[in-house]
């Protein structure tokens, strides 16, 4: 009878471990920690569970750190005091941006602002490419 109880403990631990892995894949990190804790209840010294749990807890901590507003990283958190518009044709002063301090969303926004999206340019390039391809295919014909 004791053998069957030990097997049931191992199976329950494995089930909780698999549920924890599934929760991680689904992005449910808190649920994954609970499942890993359950697996450790059944098998306290199971190294893969201990490692996975530590990774998930570290990921949760990192996400919490990113949520905290920090004035030295990324975009400003406060609205501007005022906006001045000049009628003169002046350009702003060039500045330096420390890209390592920007969030991935801020970097994506900067990139999108610099993307040219003129349909005329796109069509000119496409037609030129099609004409080049048509010319290449015509060269092999007599």
């Amino acid at each position: 009878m004791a053998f069957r109880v030990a097997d049931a403990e191992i199976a329950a631990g494995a089930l909780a471990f698999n549920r924890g892995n599934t929760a991680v894949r689904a992005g449910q990190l808190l649920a994954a920690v609970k499942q890993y804790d359950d697996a450790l209840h059944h098998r306290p010294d199971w190294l893969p569970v201990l490692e996975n749990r530590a990774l998930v807890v570290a990921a949760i901590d990192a996400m919490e750190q990113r949520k905290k507003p920090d004035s030295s990283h990324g975009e400003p958190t406060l609205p501007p005091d005022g906006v001045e518009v000049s009628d003169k044709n002046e350009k702003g002063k060039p500045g330096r941006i420390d890209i390592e301090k920007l969030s991935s969303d801020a970097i994506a926004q900067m990139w999108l602002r610099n993307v040219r999206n003129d349909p005329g340019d796109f069509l000119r390039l496409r037609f030129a490419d099609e004409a080049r391809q048509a010319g290449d295919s015509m060269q092999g014909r007599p």
Side-chain angles (χ1 to χ4, degrees):
M1 186 70 172
F3 179 72
R4 291 183 181 166
V5 170
D7 286 345
E9 286 295 315
I10 291 172
L15 179 63
F17 177 60
N18 289 334
R19 285 181 178 165
N21 291 340
T22 302
V24 169
R25 288 187 191 104
Q28 300 169 348
L29 300 184
L30 294 176
V33 171
K34 289 179 184 177
Q35 290 298 323
Y36 290 145
D37 287 342
D38 189 35
L40 290 171
H41 172 74
H42 295 287
R43 293 179 63 185
D45 58 344
W46 198 7
L47 188 59
V49 176
L50 291 167
E51 291 172 345
N52 284 12
R53 187 185 186 285
L55 289 171
V56 171
V57 168
I60 291 171
D61 290 343
M63 288 172 51
E64 291 297 322
Q65 288 297 324
R66 278 188 242 137
K67 287 182 181 178
K68 292 181 182 177
D70 185 7
S71 61
S72 64
H73 298 297
E75 295 184 4
T77 56
L78 299 174
D81 292 334
V83 177
E84 294 180 21
V85 180
S86 173
D87 291 334
K88 302 175 189 173
N89 196 9
E90 298 174 356
K91 293 185 178 182
K93 296 179 184 178
R96 297 185 58 87
I97 296 174
D98 189 1
I99 200 132
E100 292 176 2
K101 291 184 179 180
L102 293 176
S103 67
S104 58
D105 290 337
I107 293 170
Q109 288 295 326
M110 286 175 52
W111 181 80
L112 285 172
R113 277 187 235 125
N114 290 322
V115 171
R116 292 183 166 218
N117 57 358
D118 181 19
D121 289 342
F122 170 75
L123 290 173
R124 276 189 287 282
L125 289 172
R126 180 168 179 182
F127 294 150
D129 187 48
E130 288 177 357
R132 183 188 50 78
Q133 288 176 0
D136 290 345
S137 65
M138 296 297 270
Q139 288 180 358
R141 293 186 179 175

